Amino acid sequence: MKKTYDRLAAGDRLRLKRTLLEMTQDEMAEKIGRATKYYADIERGNCGMSIETLLALSETLNMSLDYIILGTNNTDSANHTDESLAVISLLNNCDERTRRYALRMLKIFLIACSNSEQDTGFDSNTNI
């Protein structure tokens, strides 16, 4: 089956990832060096993207090109959830010192959650 580029679907994928990263359209446009209106038009599917814009989006959002364009992912990250990919993107956008600190804090948090679940029967998957 031949896959085709669907600008609306690509825009939806970009919007979802941007919102998971808690970025505004203005912030996203600034990160990729484009006008806010142009980026907003991409998300709405009103226009396509140049290769340079596509590469900038891929790098900034930590999304593969095939996922942005076609919605398929042929990389090792295919097993990750959107949320875990958002955390990875946030870490990748930090300086080295901040990234190391954030990773230490995340490890401490996850260990504490694991211990709390074992001690109290608390389920961290429960929505609060």
Side-chain angles (χ1 to χ4, degrees):
M1 183 169 102
K2 183 179 177 182
K3 297 186 181 215
T4 59
Y5 171 52
D6 179 347
R7 289 191 317 213
L8 291 172
D12 288 341
R13 287 187 286 276
L14 293 170
R15 180 182 308 104
L16 174 63
K17 186 64 176 274
R18 176 183 57 77
T19 56
L20 284 171
L21 294 172
E22 298 180 355
M23 292 173 58
T24 65
Q25 286 184 338
D26 288 332
E27 292 167 333
M28 189 68 221
E30 184 177 327
K31 282 194 175 277
I32 65 169
R34 303 297 186 268
T36 301
K37 182 183 179 336
Y38 175 61
Y39 178 73
D41 284 343
I42 290 171
E43 277 195 3
R44 284 192 295 271
N46 292 343
C47 65
M49 305 167 254
S50 68
I51 297 296
E52 291 79 11
T53 300
L54 186 58
L55 290 169
L57 288 167
S58 173
E59 183 178 326
T60 303
L61 295 172
N62 194 30
M63 295 171 74
S64 68
L65 298 173
D66 58 333
Y67 183 71
I68 293 172
I69 297 170
L70 301 172
T72 59
N73 200 343
N74 296 325
T75 65
D76 292 340
S77 63
N79 295 326
H80 295 293
T81 63
D82 285 337
E83 291 84 3
S84 64
L85 290 174
V87 170
I88 291 168
S89 291
L90 288 169
L91 290 170
N92 285 339
N93 289 327
C94 294
D95 61 72
E96 184 62 28
R97 182 173 181 236
T98 303
R99 183 174 30 260
R100 284 194 315 264
Y101 181 74
L103 287 170
R104 282 197 318 264
M105 292 290 98
L106 182 57
K107 287 177 187 176
I108 291 168
F109 174 76
L110 293 173
I111 290 168
C113 286
S114 177
N115 291 339
S116 176
E117 286 177 15
Q118 292 172 1
D119 294 342
T120 64
F122 173 74
D123 181 6
S124 63
N125 292 322
T126 303
N127 291 332
I128 298 177

